[in-house]
Amino acid sequence: FLCTLPFWAVDAYTEWIFGTFMCKLVNGAYTVNLYSCMLILTCVSINRYKVIVQATKTLNDGKKIIHSKLVCVGIWVFAIILTLPQFILSEAYSDIPDKTICTMVYPLNFSSIIKGGVHVTQLLVGFLIPFVAMIICYSVIAKTLLQDKGFQKHKSLKIIIAVVVVFVICELPFNIVLLLEILQIFSEEIPSCEYIANTDYAIIVTESIAYLHCCLNPILYVFLGVKFRNSFLKILKDAGCISQKQLAELLKTECETSRPVSGISETTSLHPL
């Protein structure tokens, strides 16, 4: 995702100067990242549901690692398949004299069908499927935690709320604009120049908000985890940033704040939200 941004920045400042091959590569890489990211977030939601709600049915470590690898490979393969239209149809296209853009050029006879299909796929995989999975899985997880008297309950619930709220705030505006585009594609009315210009501006703004989600995901899914923080503290100690005594005190504090009280609390401590 980050590697594609400089190309889009140059494109926004001047025009697309990198040719059709790089247009296919950059546009395809961006879309693969979008689909794989959203599908992985979906799987994370399902995995947390299985770990916390169905704690007694979890696999052993060996099978769990193999299962996780297969799921990740499957996600990437599926994301690449969904991105084939971007790889095939993206071109460096001159829409006006002396102005070249990187865009998808659809066959004239099937333009509405293919373009509509690409947009619907992006709406489903890029928003609706992960959103529904989050709502269902995290609702059941929250209900399970509320029924438990564990020490970590309130902290876990806050993280659940943060994950869902951040996802909706960042992703919903762009997908509303995308939905409006889909409705316009399948309608028989020809959009006015003003409508097209307003839609372009709306996409720029809402897509930038959606980009923010990529920045917040590491915080929500990684940095808040107990295991990650403990490992990070040990790295700081090995690098000489903190002493062994400071490390011991910090690890003791982490241990006290994440001490399990019951079966469910123990599960959330081993697999922190």
Side-chain angles (χ1 to χ4, degrees):
F1 171 71
L2 291 175
C3 288
T4 65
L5 291 183
F7 293 93
W8 299 125
V10 173
D11 178 53
Y13 184 69
T14 56
E15 62 176 343
W16 187 262
I17 60 175
F18 306 104
T20 293
F21 175 77
M22 286 304 298
C23 176
K24 292 179 181 290
L25 184 62
V26 172
N27 200 20
Y30 167 83
T31 310
V32 168
N33 175 79
L34 169 67
Y35 289 146
S36 61
C37 174
M38 291 304 174
L39 290 170
I40 287 173
L41 292 185
T42 302
C43 290
V44 168
S45 303
I46 296 171
N47 182 64
R48 286 177 169 177
Y49 166 82
K50 292 175 65 178
V51 167
I52 296 173
V53 179
Q54 301 179 342
T56 58
K57 300 179 182 180
T58 54
L59 302 172
N60 59 51
D61 289 341
K63 290 183 178 180
K64 194 183 298 181
I65 292 173
I66 295 173
H67 184 257
S68 299
K69 289 181 178 179
L70 289 175
V71 169
C72 288
V73 170
I75 286 174
W76 280 99
V77 171
F78 186 51
I80 292 172
I81 293 173
L82 292 177
T83 311
L84 287 178
Q86 279 77 11
F87 283 118
I88 296 171
L89 300 176
S90 296
E91 290 185 18
Y93 176 74
S94 298
D95 60 338
I96 58 175
D98 302 323
K99 178 72 173 179
T100 303
I101 60 173
C102 175
T103 186
M104 294 180 67
V105 180
Y106 302 94
L108 292 177
N109 296 335
F110 305 99
S111 177
S112 297
I113 297 174
I114 298 176
K115 186 176 182 180
V118 169
H119 280 61
V120 169
T121 301
Q122 186 172 338
L123 182 65
L124 287 174
V125 180
F127 181 75
L128 286 179
I129 291 176
F131 177 68
V132 171
M134 283 184 180
I135 293 298
I136 294 174
C137 293
Y138 287 133
S139 295
V140 178
I141 290 172
K143 181 181 178 182
T144 303
L145 293 176
L146 286 171
Q147 293 173 346
D148 181 66
K149 298 180 180 179
F151 186 80
Q152 272 197 317
K153 177 176 64 177
H154 297 297
K155 180 181 177 182
S156 297
L157 289 175
K158 288 179 181 178
I159 296 175
I160 287 173
I161 294 171
V163 166
V164 176
V165 169
V166 167
F167 180 86
V168 172
I169 291 176
C170 292
E171 299 293 341
L172 183 59
F174 173 73
N175 283 277
I176 290 176
V177 177
L178 187 62
L179 178 60
L180 294 176
E181 275 209 335
I182 293 171
L183 296 175
Q184 179 60 49
I185 290 170
F186 290 110
S187 70
E188 296 181 357
E189 296 181 5
I190 299 176
S192 64
C193 293
E194 183 181 3
Y195 178 86
I196 295 174
N198 290 336
T199 302
D200 289 342
Y201 282 122
I203 289 176
I204 292 171
V205 174
T206 56
E207 199 169 34
S208 298
I209 297 173
Y211 290 168
L212 182 63
H213 194 211
C214 296
C215 305
L216 297 176
N217 276 340
I219 298 172
L220 294 172
Y221 287 89
V222 182
F223 299 151
L224 295 180
V226 176
K227 287 184 177 180
F228 176 86
R229 291 203 301 270
N230 290 347
S231 298
F232 185 67
L233 289 173
K234 291 176 181 177
I235 290 175
L236 291 179
K237 182 262 177 183
D238 293 338
C241 299
I242 60 176
S243 65
Q244 179 64 41
K245 182 179 179 181
Q246 290 174 317
L247 174 64
E249 291 176 353
L250 290 169
L251 291 178
K252 181 180 178 182
T253 302
E254 288 282 3
C255 181
E256 290 174 350
T257 56
S258 60
R259 183 179 295 121
V261 177
S262 64
I264 296 176
S265 298
E266 184 175 0
T267 302
T268 56
S269 177
L270 293 173
H271 304 274
L273 293 172

